[in-house]
């Protein structure tokens, strides 16, 4: 079964969280990040081309214009493929592990799977970035020292929900793994 | 705990039979390796499993039954399969079945003490061939455990146990459908064992070829050590020249590739393969360079251009020295010292020009032979280029050394006389500055010398600055060439190619995908290999280079420059540190 809720993130964009319940031991949480806005894209393109036209007026060399077009295209492709994350998914499989997938705007998907034996706990961390934001992270066990924590892995890396701590906790209330 | 049944995708369309595999009780994994078809004799099945267990050190057993009803539901088959549970006792007993022409899968587990229910099983499909060939990075075993330890394999973390089970059970996958054995199995090789004629021929030929080449290479290395030990100046020269270092490195690489010992673990095999591909690429690029050089008599053009370029550089240096001897940048130099230093360096340049002109008839012949060396590899050609550059700018190096030594002496003198001026001295025993009472005549002469050195400092410092900058420029160009050589030497091209074409071979982990689920069927997941990112591939499989990088930090470099100590940018690994 599925359900969807929408929130706003710390810079005001729309985020939507979908929850899918496959079985009692397998659940998926999908967070859709705000899309690339046409306004910012137009602004960046116009700036780059104005600069290129200015240089062309100075130097009278048409290579500047073609290189500006090239740079804009390559920059946009690089941004879509390596930087812009469209959707982040968290799949929890009971007694097997936790899988985090980030899908980029160009279709690339990068997946990390953490086995349940390595997970020590899941906590909500606070960070101060202009104001207080809350994010979920997974604490991993150190293989040599079982009582020590070796790594802190934030779950949703790019989307920060602008919410009070307790409301966020209510949404993630199905964590009964450990 | 939920039972996780790992089922190979190649067996999803197999006929009904017995499931054979390994049970890992700590994590609740039932790894199915193959399906045994009817008719079979239970004794022969047990013998096969015992034989495979002896060969692979992995505990195999009959895990349950598999029922694939192709036509109408056969009641007799169902009851027969249930009866098998009594014959092969294994707890828990798995019963998998699949409906014909639909995606309905059923899964039942009966274990002692626990109620059998559908929610207690998870079905995970895996591609047997990919899991067999994949290597997990980082490996699951800790460094203090031996790979062959049977008890260690059971304690391996999580999913690495699945990989290990499939990889070690190769003996089970030897028989295929066309063999006339007592037991009929379905697994990934059941359509016919995969092999390639080229690979088999290469394996057969590699033995004698490796033997021959390794004996040749050991002869070569013995020869080089014998000759170099005898002739001292030659040994010194060879340790300074880049080309000799590169040739030695390549000899080591070739010895590694053609050694007659088999690789002990996958890491060594990868290193051998990477080295071989690197050597082949090097030679190919070198031959391309050779053909380009010889095509339109470019060597002749280069030789014709070389002497005028050297002349031009010497002329520029002369003009620079004339400028320094006048009033450079409006600064007023000490006339006498200026003239002395300027004339001294000018005479050196004059000597250098004479040597270049002496060598000019032989330049083309030398360049032609140097060009031939490119067939040994592009790296050798680039190292030769770097050495030629060093030889051609030898006068700049000499000027730098003179300027640095003069400046260093001056700075040492100044610091010591400054201490005298303040009434202190350096205590060598205690390694610290102590106060000291000097006589009047000592103070007088000391202060006089201090004043002289201080007012001569700008002149020396200017000469030192100019020649250090020139030297740093030459070092930067040499550094770029070395960087390129290092890149060709250490880039793991075979691993990168493997990551591009067969990404499942280099695995960073696994990823799961939830398959569509029928209303009351078990949860079905597809396990795929998550390949290693390219940056990790380069980092893990990088070949060791010859270590010619400057090991100093920027702050120590600046300190050395300020105090006039000589910089040696290309310290080899075996040299003494100063």
């Amino acid at each position: 079964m599925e359900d969807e809720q929408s929130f706003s993130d710390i810079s005001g964009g729309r985020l939507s969280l979908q929850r899918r319940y496959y079985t009692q031991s397998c659940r998926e949480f999908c967070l859709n990040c705000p899309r690339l806005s046409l306004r910012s894209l137009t602004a960046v393109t116009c700036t780059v081309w104005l600069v290129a036209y200015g240089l062309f007026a100075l130097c009278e060399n048409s290579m500047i214009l073609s290189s500006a077009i090239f740079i804009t295209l390559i920059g946009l492709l690089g941004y879509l493929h390596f930087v812009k994350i469209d959707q982040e998914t968290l799949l929890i499989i009971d007694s097997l592990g936790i899988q985090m997938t980030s899908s980029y705007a160009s279709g690339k998907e990068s997946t990390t799977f953490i086995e349940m034996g390595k997970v020590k706990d899941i906590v909500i961390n606070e960070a101060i970035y202009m104001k207080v934001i809350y994010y979920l992270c997974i604490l991993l066990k150190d293989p040599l020292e079982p009582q020590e924590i070796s790594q802190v892995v934030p779950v949703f890396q790019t989307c920060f929900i602008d919410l009070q701590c307790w409301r966020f906790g209510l949404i993630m209330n199905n964590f009964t793994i450990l | 705990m939920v039972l996780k049944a790992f089922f190979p995708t190649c067996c999803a369309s197999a006929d009904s039979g017995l499931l054979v595999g390994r049970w890992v009780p700590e994590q609740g994994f039932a790894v199915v390796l193959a399906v045994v078809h009817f008719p079979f004799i239970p004794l022969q099945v047990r013998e096969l499993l015992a034989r495979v267990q002896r060969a692979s050190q992995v505990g195999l057993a009959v895990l349950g039954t598999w029922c694939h009803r192709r036509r109408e539901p056969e009641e007799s088959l169902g009851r027969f399969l249930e009866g098998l549970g009594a014959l092969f006792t294994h707890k828990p007993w798995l019963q998998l079945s699949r409906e014909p022409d639909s995606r309905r899968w059923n899964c039942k587990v009966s274990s002692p003490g626990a109620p059998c229910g559908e929610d207690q099983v998870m079905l995970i499909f895996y591609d047997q061939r990919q899991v067999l060939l994949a290597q997990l990075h980082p490996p699951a075993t800790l460094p203090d455990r031996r790979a062959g330890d049977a008890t260690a394999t059971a304690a391996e973390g999580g999913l690495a146990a699945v990989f290990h089970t499939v990889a070690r059970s190769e003996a089970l996958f030897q028989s295929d459908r066309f063999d006339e054995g007592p037991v009929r199995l379905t697994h990934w090789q059941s359509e016919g064992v995969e092999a390639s004629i080229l690979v088999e021929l290469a394996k057969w030929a590699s033995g004698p070829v490796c033997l021959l080449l390794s004996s040749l290479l050991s002869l070569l290395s013995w020869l080089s050590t014998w000759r170099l030990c005898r002739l001292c100046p030659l040994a010194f020269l060879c340790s300074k020249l880049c080309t000799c270092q590169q040739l030695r490195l390549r000899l080591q690489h070739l010895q590694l590739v053609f050694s007659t010992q088999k690789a002990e673990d996958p890491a060594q095999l990868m290193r051998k393969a990477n080295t071989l591909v690197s050597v082949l690429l090097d030679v190919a690029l070198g031959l391309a360079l050779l053909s380009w050089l010889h095509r339109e008599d470019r060597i002749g053009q280069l030789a014709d251009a070389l002497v005028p370029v050297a002349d031009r550089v010497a002329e520029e240096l002369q003009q620079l020295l004339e400028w320094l001897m006048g009033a450079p940048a409006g600064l007023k130099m000490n006339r006498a010292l200026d003239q002395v230093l300027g004339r001294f360096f000018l005479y050196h340049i004059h000597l250098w020009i004479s040597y270049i002109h002496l060598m000019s008839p032989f330049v083309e012949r030398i360049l032609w032979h140097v060009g031939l060396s490119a067939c040994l590899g592009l790296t050798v050609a680039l190292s030769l280029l770097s050495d030629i550059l060093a030889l051609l700018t030898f006068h700049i190096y000499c000027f730098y050394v003179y300027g640095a030594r003069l400046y260093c002496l001056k700075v040492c003198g100044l610091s010591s006389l400054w201490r005298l001026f303040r009434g202190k001295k350096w205590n060598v025993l205690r390694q610290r500055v102590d106060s000291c009472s000097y006589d009047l005549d000592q103070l007088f002469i000391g202060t006089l010398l201090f004043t002289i050195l201080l007012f001569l400092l700008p002149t020396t410092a200017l000469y030192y600055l100019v020649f250090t900058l020139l030297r740093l420029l030459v070092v930067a160009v040499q550094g770029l060439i070395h960087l390129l050589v290092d890149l060709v030497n250490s880039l793991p091209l075979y691993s990168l190619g493997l990551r591009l074409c067969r990404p499942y071979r280099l695995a960073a982990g696994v990823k799961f995908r939830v398959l569509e689920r029928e209303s009351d069927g078990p949860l079905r997941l597809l396990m795929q290999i998550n390949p290693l990112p390219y940056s990790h591939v380069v980092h893990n499989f990088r070949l060791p280079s010859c270590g010619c990088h400057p090991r100093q930090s920027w702050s120590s470099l600046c300190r050395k420059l300020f105090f006039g100590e000589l910089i040696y940018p290309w310290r080899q690994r075996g040299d003494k540190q100063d």
Side-chain angles (χ1 to χ4, degrees):
Chain A
M1 51 189 161
E2 273 195 41
D3 82 336
E4 185 164 342
Q5 288 175 329
S6 63
F7 306 99
S8 63
D9 76 351
I10 48 175
S11 33
R14 304 297 307 156
L15 290 176
S16 75
L17 176 73
Q18 289 163 337
R19 290 185 290 175
R20 268 189 225 120
Y21 177 89
Y22 292 113
T23 67
Q24 197 184 14
S25 49
C26 181
R27 282 173 219 120
E28 193 175 39
F29 296 89
C30 241
L31 199 61
N32 288 314
C33 304
R35 309 270 172 188
L36 183 65
S37 78
L38 197 59
R39 198 182 297 176
S40 58
L41 182 63
T42 323
V44 170
T45 315
C46 286
T47 324
V48 170
W49 284 358
L50 275 173
V51 166
Y53 270 116
L55 282 174
F56 175 68
L58 277 175
C59 305
E60 305 288 332
N61 189 357
S62 64
M63 278 297 290
I64 296 179
L65 293 177
S66 24
S67 61
I69 295 175
F70 206 56
I71 289 172
T72 316
L73 274 175
I74 299 284
L76 184 66
L77 282 174
Y79 177 72
L80 289 179
H81 193 72
F82 293 111
V83 177
K84 182 84 190 70
I85 294 185
D86 251 356
Q87 193 185 60
E88 289 189 281
T89 313
L90 182 72
L91 176 69
I92 304 167
I93 309 171
D94 192 12
S95 77
L96 198 60
I98 303 177
Q99 175 170 288
M100 298 178 293
T101 313
S102 312
S103 341
Y104 290 83
S106 64
K108 174 173 105 155
E109 280 191 5
S110 114
T111 317
T112 321
F113 180 74
I114 303 173
E115 291 184 46
M116 206 48 93
K118 291 203 188 117
V119 173
K120 190 168 161 63
D121 206 348
I122 295 187
V123 297
I124 297 179
N125 252 355
E126 289 180 0
I128 299 183
Y129 176 76
M130 311 294 188
K131 52 184 169 177
V132 182
I133 54 174
Y134 302 95
Y135 60 98
L136 205 65
C137 12
I138 303 179
L139 301 176
L140 298 183
K141 281 187 208 160
D142 196 358
L144 299 169
E145 301 271 335
Q147 301 306 315
E148 302 279 322
I149 298 167
S150 76
Q151 226 182 337
V152 174
V153 180
V155 173
F156 294 118
Q157 304 239 2
T158 50
C159 317
F160 293 105
I161 301 187
D162 182 22
L163 278 183
Q164 301 294 327
C165 179
W166 59 272
R167 277 179 73 190
F168 197 41
L170 272 181
I171 290 157
M172 300 286 181
N173 66 353
N174 285 329
F175 283 108
T176 52
I177 317 148
L178 299 164
Chain B
M1 200 194 290
V2 178
L3 185 132
K4 289 151 290 248
F6 287 84
F7 194 73
T9 46
C10 49
C11 297
S13 51
D15 288 333
S16 313
L18 282 179
L19 294 171
V20 158
R22 181 184 171 201
W23 165 244
V24 183
E26 295 89 17
Q27 279 117 29
F29 287 167
V31 185
V32 174
L33 291 171
V35 176
V36 176
H37 297 297
F38 312 113
F40 58 83
I41 303 175
L43 189 65
Q44 283 175 340
V45 173
R46 286 206 187 98
E47 272 176 12
L48 171 73
L49 290 180
R51 190 161 31 95
V52 173
Q53 189 163 344
R54 270 198 305 275
S56 65
Q57 316 290 329
V58 167
L60 296 183
V62 175
L63 295 174
T65 57
W66 161 244
C67 180
H68 188 194
R69 291 183 270 237
R70 291 197 191 274
R71 293 171 292 280
E72 310 80 39
E74 297 168 12
E75 292 303 322
S76 55
L77 185 64
R79 263 176 280 140
F80 174 61
L81 288 175
E82 274 163 38
L84 282 174
L87 202 57
F88 294 99
T89 50
H90 184 266
K91 297 283 175 278
W93 185 249
L94 201 60
Q95 286 165 294
L96 285 176
S97 70
R98 188 180 173 188
E99 299 286 322
D101 301 330
S102 83
R103 305 252 189 94
R104 269 188 66 86
W105 287 70
N106 283 319
C107 204
K108 276 197 294 197
V109 165
S110 51
S111 50
C116 66
E118 306 251 328
D119 269 353
Q120 303 303 316
V121 188
M122 205 186 282
L123 207 54
I124 303 176
F125 295 103
Y126 71 97
D127 188 326
Q128 210 166 42
R129 177 168 181 267
Q130 290 190 354
V131 169
L132 182 79
L133 294 174
Q135 283 160 33
L136 273 180
H137 302 88
T141 51
L142 293 175
D144 56 354
R145 288 193 185 158
R146 282 166 294 137
D149 195 351
T151 51
T153 58
E156 268 170 4
L159 291 161
V162 176
F163 282 82
H164 183 88
T165 309
V166 179
R168 296 295 284 260
S169 311
E170 288 213 44
L172 191 64
F173 304 136
Q174 295 297 333
S175 64
D176 57 25
R177 213 174 54 166
F178 306 100
D179 277 347
E180 295 294 330
V183 180
R184 280 175 46 228
L185 294 166
T186 298
H187 45 75
W188 71 282
Q189 297 253 51
S190 50
E191 294 299 316
V193 175
E194 245 185 35
S196 152
I197 289 186
L198 288 173
V199 168
E200 297 300 318
L201 275 177
K203 276 192 202 159
W204 180 82
S206 67
V209 166
C210 279
L211 202 61
L212 180 69
L213 283 170
S214 61
S215 51
L216 261 172
L217 289 168
S218 53
L219 186 71
L220 257 176
S221 55
W222 174 79
L223 224 90
S224 66
T225 48
W226 179 71
R227 292 286 280 282
L228 285 177
C229 280
R230 292 294 185 87
L231 304 165
C232 267
L234 202 62
F236 173 74
L237 207 64
C238 282
S239 69
K240 292 293 173 207
L241 284 178
C242 235
T243 316
C244 296
Q245 300 293 327
Q246 180 62 27
L247 281 172
R248 205 174 294 163
L249 184 73
R250 276 298 181 220
L251 194 68
Q252 271 175 2
H253 282 172
L254 285 174
Q255 275 180 324
L256 173 71
V257 170
F258 293 118
S259 78
T260 44
Q261 283 172 322
K262 249 178 108 62
E264 281 139 36
D265 54 18
Q268 227 181 7
L269 188 67
M270 285 293 248
R271 189 188 290 189
K272 271 192 171 184
N274 279 327
T275 317
L276 182 66
V277 173
S278 157
V279 168
L280 285 174
L281 179 78
D282 200 11
V283 170
L285 284 174
L287 287 172
L289 180 70
L290 194 68
S291 72
W292 179 80
L293 275 178
H294 283 259
R295 199 176 304 157
E296 286 161 22
D297 192 29
R298 289 221 172 83
I299 291 198
Q301 289 174 5
L302 260 177
D304 288 338
L306 201 65
V307 173
V309 162
D311 268 346
R312 181 79 200 285
V313 168
E315 253 179 53
E316 294 286 330
L317 268 178
Q318 266 176 336
Q319 281 181 1
L320 182 71
L321 281 168
E322 307 273 340
W323 180 68
L324 280 176
M325 274 162 67
L331 295 169
K332 189 139 193 309
M333 306 266 96
N334 180 284
R335 194 128 186 89
L337 184 62
D338 215 359
Q339 296 286 323
V340 162
L341 285 175
R343 293 232 178 90
F344 178 63
F345 290 133
L346 275 173
Y347 181 63
H348 263 86
I349 293 179
H350 170 77
L351 274 178
W352 187 250
I353 299 277
S354 328
Y355 281 135
I356 296 275
H357 281 272
L358 215 74
M359 288 259 294
S360 57
F362 307 109
V363 162
E364 185 171 346
R365 199 104 296 256
I366 293 175
L367 270 183
W368 191 85
H369 285 289
V370 159
L372 261 192
S373 75
C375 68
L376 286 173
L378 182 71
T379 47
V380 177
L382 283 175
S383 318
L384 264 172
L385 181 71
S386 160
D387 286 334
I388 289 175
L389 185 70
L391 280 175
L392 282 179
T393 55
F394 190 63
H395 49 332
I396 296 182
Y397 178 62
C398 285
F399 292 168
Y400 163 71
V401 172
Y402 298 150
R405 287 279 185 237
L406 213 58
Y407 179 77
C408 185
L409 272 172
K410 185 154 279 191
V411 166
C412 282
L414 268 175
S415 55
S416 155
L417 289 172
W418 171 245
R419 276 182 232 121
L420 180 136
F421 193 66
R422 290 183 306 154
K424 300 199 189 292
K425 76 165 187 162
W426 175 253
N427 191 340
V428 183
L429 213 59
R430 296 286 182 94
Q431 294 288 313
R432 66 173 188 202
V433 178
D434 277 341
S435 61
C436 173
S437 58
Y438 292 99
D439 294 339
L440 195 63
D441 49 355
Q442 283 174 329
L443 273 175
F444 182 65
I445 298 195
T447 315
L448 204 66
L449 281 172
F450 174 73
T451 324
I452 294 173
L453 281 178
L454 184 66
F455 288 125
L456 288 179
L457 186 65
T459 314
T460 329
L462 193 71
Y463 273 92
Y464 173 64
L465 185 73
V466 168
F467 291 130
T468 309
L469 284 174
L470 280 174
R471 172 78 186 139
L472 284 177
L473 186 70
V474 171
V475 162
V477 173
Q478 271 190 309
L480 270 171
I481 298 180
H482 281 237
L483 209 68
L484 202 59
V485 167
D486 217 20
L487 189 71
V488 179
N489 268 345
S490 66
L491 200 65
L493 282 166
Y494 177 73
S495 309
L496 284 173
L498 206 63
R499 168 66 183 86
L500 196 67
C501 305
R502 303 257 186 276
Y504 55 84
R505 291 279 295 264
L506 302 169
V510 294
K511 54 187 176 190
F512 290 93
R513 192 158 63 93
V514 182
L515 298 173
E516 59 177 69
R517 190 175 169 230
E518 304 297 317
S519 51
D520 53 350
L523 176 69
R524 294 184 306 144
L525 300 168
L526 177 66
M527 182 173 91
Q528 290 166 314
I529 309 272
N530 201 11
L532 212 52
Y534 286 100
S535 52
H536 286 207
V537 171
V538 171
H539 181 74
N540 281 354
F541 295 110
R542 205 187 160 84
L543 295 169
S545 59
C546 59
C548 303
H549 289 293
R551 296 258 171 253
Q552 305 153 341
S553 62
W554 288 107
S555 59
S556 77
L557 185 69
C558 288
R559 197 183 67 84
K560 281 195 175 178
L561 281 175
F562 187 70
F563 285 113
E565 289 169 28
L566 287 177
I567 322 167
Y568 298 104
W570 313 121
R571 277 279 191 195
Q572 307 306 326
R573 234 187 250 146
D575 287 0
K576 237 177 2 145
Q577 301 294 326
D578 59 11

